[in-house]
Amino acid sequence: MLHITNGDNANQVIQSMGIEGRYLAWADVLHDGPVPAGLTLDEMSQVRANFIHHCGWASEFEALTHFQSRDALFTRAAKEGGVVIWNSPELYDQLHLIQLLAWYRSEGRNCMPPELVLVPCLLGLATEKDDLPQCFSGRSQVTNEQLNLAEDAWHAFTSSNPRMLSALLTENMDALPYLKNGLLRLVQEYPDSFGVSRTQRQALSAVAGGIDAPGRIFAASQQAESPQFMGDSSFWLFIKEMVHSTAPLLTVDGADEFKVPGMFGPDEAFLSQRLRLTPLGEQVLAGEADWLVKHQIDRWVGGVHLNPENIWRWDSQNATFIRG
């Protein structure tokens, strides 16, 4: 039996319950960077490894080796049978789930469907340990209805047209009970009418409220999330974009750039940084300016490459996407 979870910490928590089998962390921040449509698992992993490398999170060799090893272990277990997917409500997990189940509808169509364990809280937290054996005993084999929904969701997520997502969100998605809320959070990572995503707005609001240290800004943003889904490495990408823009929303006291933690964690250069709103940042936060009038956006959300020639915004009031 191969247990697939969202990370090494979750694996450790489950193992501590005495649940037997092998463990695999899927571990990919699919809500960041390119996830284009029409790729095999191997092709997608090459795209993702390249993104991880260019973020500075791993060397090119380390990133590619991680994905190749992960995929080999998964595909071998899928062909043998006995795959168990553990799934929590956060967006991070929902994107893993639809990628895995969509694989069973394409490359793995001749494999026995996996079993699914639904965990109603964050999987990696120690406080959840008492609940895990009960969740595991309630696991069930994935149904055709669940496979079909996951395939539709994966196609919508990887599409170059985000309106596939808004259309999907109008449909009944009860077959995968955490998926709709996860995708509703995903669409909020598109720019709003003032050019910033929900994560960026939360960061700006924290700084406007007097929080200036990067770690505390991240913590404040996470407190606004329910459930949480983003790690700090992903969060620093948003901070960098707002600082390094030709039309910055944030500035670092006494410095021209925002320094992210290295591979070995935060150092003094990172910890000593203090962030401030620029005048434009104040205007955008107050709803008095549109950042994308001046900012050259270059960011991926799933299969959509947001750039000055391809701007999509999420209209939360009407639950739809607007072009431009």
Side-chain angles (χ1 to χ4, degrees):
M1 182 176 288
L2 177 68
H3 300 275
I4 300 180
T5 72
N6 60 20
D8 293 329
N9 189 44
N11 287 348
Q12 293 170 7
V13 171
I14 296 171
Q15 283 179 299
S16 71
M17 295 292 94
I19 297 173
E20 297 182 353
R22 296 171 296 164
Y23 291 82
L24 175 63
W26 201 245
D28 187 9
V29 286
L30 290 168
H31 49 76
D32 297 328
V35 192
L39 303 184
T40 65
L41 180 60
D42 179 65
E43 291 167 341
M44 182 66 76
S45 289
Q46 292 182 49
V47 170
R48 299 300 300 164
N50 185 62
F51 169 71
I52 297 296
H53 166 58
H54 282 286
C55 286
W57 298 340
S59 69
E60 185 175 11
F61 174 79
E62 289 170 334
L64 191 56
T65 299
H66 159 75
F67 281 105
Q68 289 174 337
S69 300
R70 183 200 70 173
D71 296 349
L73 182 55
F74 163 61
T75 54
R76 183 167 60 250
K79 291 171 184 176
E80 295 170 353
V83 171
V84 179
I85 301 172
W86 293 71
N87 190 246
S88 294
E90 64 266 32
L91 171 61
Y92 183 69
D93 274 33
Q94 297 316 298
L95 298 180
H96 290 171
L97 179 64
I98 61 174
Q99 181 184 25
L100 286 161
L101 296 189
W103 181 88
Y104 280 92
R105 273 290 189 236
S106 56
E107 296 174 77
R109 57 187 172 274
N110 294 322
C111 298
M112 180 183 297
E115 292 182 311
L116 181 61
V117 180
L118 296 174
V119 181
C121 45
L122 297 180
L123 183 55
L125 297 181
T127 54
E128 299 161 9
K129 287 184 179 182
D130 294 340
D131 303 325
L132 293 183
Q134 183 177 354
C135 294
F136 182 63
S137 65
R139 71 192 184 278
S140 59
Q141 188 174 55
V142 172
T143 65
N144 281 330
E145 183 183 11
Q146 290 172 321
L147 289 170
N148 290 338
L149 175 56
E151 183 180 34
D152 289 345
W154 182 249
H155 286 164
F157 172 57
T158 59
S159 171
S160 60
N161 188 336
R163 287 183 174 142
M164 286 189 66
L165 270 176
S166 54
L168 180 68
L169 287 169
T170 66
E171 299 180 8
N172 187 317
M173 301 171 71
D174 291 345
L176 295 172
Y178 306 144
L179 181 58
K180 176 167 278 191
N181 283 341
L183 295 182
L184 283 170
R185 181 62 187 87
L186 173 71
V187 297
Q188 295 172 52
E189 287 309 284
Y190 281 84
D192 61 17
S193 57
F194 302 103
V196 292
S197 69
R198 173 175 164 178
T199 296
Q200 290 169 324
R201 185 167 293 279
Q202 287 171 180
L204 293 173
S205 296
V207 177
I211 301 174
D212 57 5
R216 293 183 60 219
I217 296 169
F218 172 66
S221 179
Q222 290 300 287
Q223 287 174 4
E225 299 284 356
S226 181
Q228 299 175 11
F229 75 93
M230 182 179 290
D232 58 352
S233 294
S234 294
F235 188 75
W236 307 141
L237 296 180
F238 289 94
I239 298 295
K240 281 183 66 176
E241 183 182 8
M242 290 189 287
V243 172
H244 294 180
S245 171
T246 54
L249 303 182
L250 292 171
T251 185
V252 181
D253 283 355
D256 296 326
E257 62 177 345
F258 177 70
K259 293 180 169 52
V260 300
M263 290 186 185
F264 303 103
D267 55 17
E268 183 58 33
F270 170 78
L271 295 172
S272 64
Q273 296 177 111
R274 295 296 178 265
L275 291 161
R276 300 280 183 267
L277 290 178
T278 65
L280 180 58
E282 294 175 351
Q283 293 171 349
V284 168
L285 188 58
E288 299 170 351
D290 177 1
W291 190 30
L292 298 187
V293 171
K294 298 181 178 180
H295 173 62
Q296 301 291 301
I297 190 171
D298 183 10
R299 182 161 56 87
W300 286 80
V301 182
V304 179
H305 184 196
L306 297 168
N307 59 67
E309 286 73 45
N310 189 47
I311 294 175
W312 290 92
R313 302 173 190 259
W314 175 245
D315 179 354
S316 58
Q317 282 192 322
N318 297 304
T320 191
F321 284 98
I322 299 172
R323 185 75 182 268

